């Protein structure tokens, strides 16, 4: 069998099959999984950490973890992406918390200037709304949190989100519709 044919056939393998090969130390299979999902993981990590360098580190950490824990990973909806994005979320949030702790130490050591762009009342309302949204999203299922991030935070189309999650356009549309209703209800209280 020619090398070109082997490569072409391996690109058609499902994530579960590639992951099973990666469990047996197949570097090529893992490289295909990496190529298939690295962009989505990086974008998601960037939406969480906000800095390109941190997003690159989070992405690297996620794929190192996927390589080392390949035998323990459960595939959801025929795609490894939900596991990768959940791991990116947790890793990214840990990085943000760590950065926040470092910033607090720095802020305590320095005299900070007040931001006069908004009145204190408007700034307080903005912060309360942000926290309410974050709290409401945190109560959603992991898949819904990923959908929120992909479609609402990142602005991916339903088709792109469906492709990233290995599901259908209509499934994404229906889940997002329910997700929006749930958030509206929780935020209206």
């Amino acid at each position: 069998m020619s090398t070109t044919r082997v490569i072409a056939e391996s690109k058609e393998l499902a994530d579960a099959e590639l992951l099973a090969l990666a469990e047996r130390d197949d570097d090529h299979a893992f490289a295909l999984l990496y190529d298939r999902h690295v962009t989505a993981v990086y974008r998601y990590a960037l939406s969480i950490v906000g800095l390109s360098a941190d997003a690159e580190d989070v992405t690297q950490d996620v794929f190192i973890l996927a390589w080392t824990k390949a035998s323990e990973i459960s595939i959801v909806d025929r795609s490894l992406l939900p596991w990768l994005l959940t791991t990116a979320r947790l890793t990214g949030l840990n990085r943000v918390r760590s950065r926040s702790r470092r910033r607090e130490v720095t802020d305590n050591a320095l005299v900070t200037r007040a931001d006069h762009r908004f009145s204190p009342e408007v700034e307080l309302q903005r912060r309360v709304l942000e926290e309410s949204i974050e709290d409401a999203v945190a109560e959603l299922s992991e898949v819904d949190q990923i959908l929120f991030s992909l479609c609402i935070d990142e602005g991916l189309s339903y088709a792109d989100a469906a492709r990233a999650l290995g599901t259908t356009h209509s499934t994404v549309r229906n889940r997002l519709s329910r997700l929006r209703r749930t958030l509206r209800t929780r935020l209206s209280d």
Side-chain angles (χ1 to χ4, degrees):
M1 187 179 296
S2 74
T3 305
T4 308
R5 185 171 173 203
V6 169
I7 292 171
E9 286 178 2
S10 62
K11 285 185 179 179
E12 295 173 6
L13 291 175
D15 284 0
E17 295 166 310
L18 290 172
L19 189 61
L21 291 170
E23 283 180 51
R24 295 187 294 270
D25 294 330
D26 185 331
D27 296 346
H28 180 70
F30 191 78
L32 289 170
L33 283 170
Y34 177 86
D35 290 342
R36 190 176 286 176
H37 299 299
V38 68
T39 302
V41 172
Y42 172 79
R43 285 183 182 160
Y44 186 60
L46 184 60
S47 75
I48 293 168
V49 297
L51 299 172
S52 180
D54 284 348
E56 290 170 3
D57 289 345
V58 167
T59 302
Q60 177 181 339
D61 292 348
V62 167
F63 281 99
I64 288 171
L65 193 60
W67 175 256
T68 59
K69 296 194 176 267
S71 62
E72 301 170 31
I73 297 173
S74 298
I75 299 285
V76 176
D77 290 335
R78 301 183 337 248
S79 177
L80 178 62
L81 191 59
W83 185 92
L84 293 169
L85 294 179
T86 299
T87 305
R89 179 176 177 271
L90 297 173
T91 304
L93 289 174
N94 285 338
R95 184 169 290 268
V96 168
R97 279 191 291 274
S98 174
R99 188 176 29 179
S100 179
R101 281 191 294 272
R102 285 192 309 268
R103 188 178 307 127
E104 284 177 24
V105 169
T106 303
D107 287 350
N108 289 336
L110 300 172
V111 176
T112 57
R113 292 184 0 212
D115 184 359
H116 297 291
R117 292 180 299 169
F118 300 109
S119 70
E121 295 82 18
V122 170
E123 184 63 25
L124 179 62
Q125 288 173 344
R126 187 187 64 75
R127 285 184 184 169
V128 167
L129 180 59
E130 278 181 3
E131 289 174 8
S132 297
I133 292 170
E134 287 175 12
D135 291 346
V137 170
E139 293 176 8
L140 298 172
S141 70
E142 286 183 23
V143 173
D144 284 345
Q145 288 178 22
I146 292 168
L147 278 174
F148 180 89
S149 177
L150 292 175
C151 294
I152 296 172
D153 284 344
E154 291 185 34
L156 256 60
S157 69
Y158 292 175
D160 290 340
R163 219 176 353 270
L165 293 172
T167 189
T168 64
H169 177 279
S170 60
T171 299
V172 169
R173 184 187 66 235
N174 292 340
R175 280 192 89 122
L176 277 171
S177 177
R178 282 194 306 269
L179 183 152
R180 285 184 173 115
R181 275 194 309 270
T182 301
L183 289 177
R184 265 188 234 112
T185 301
R186 288 182 183 164
L187 292 172
S188 66
D189 297 338

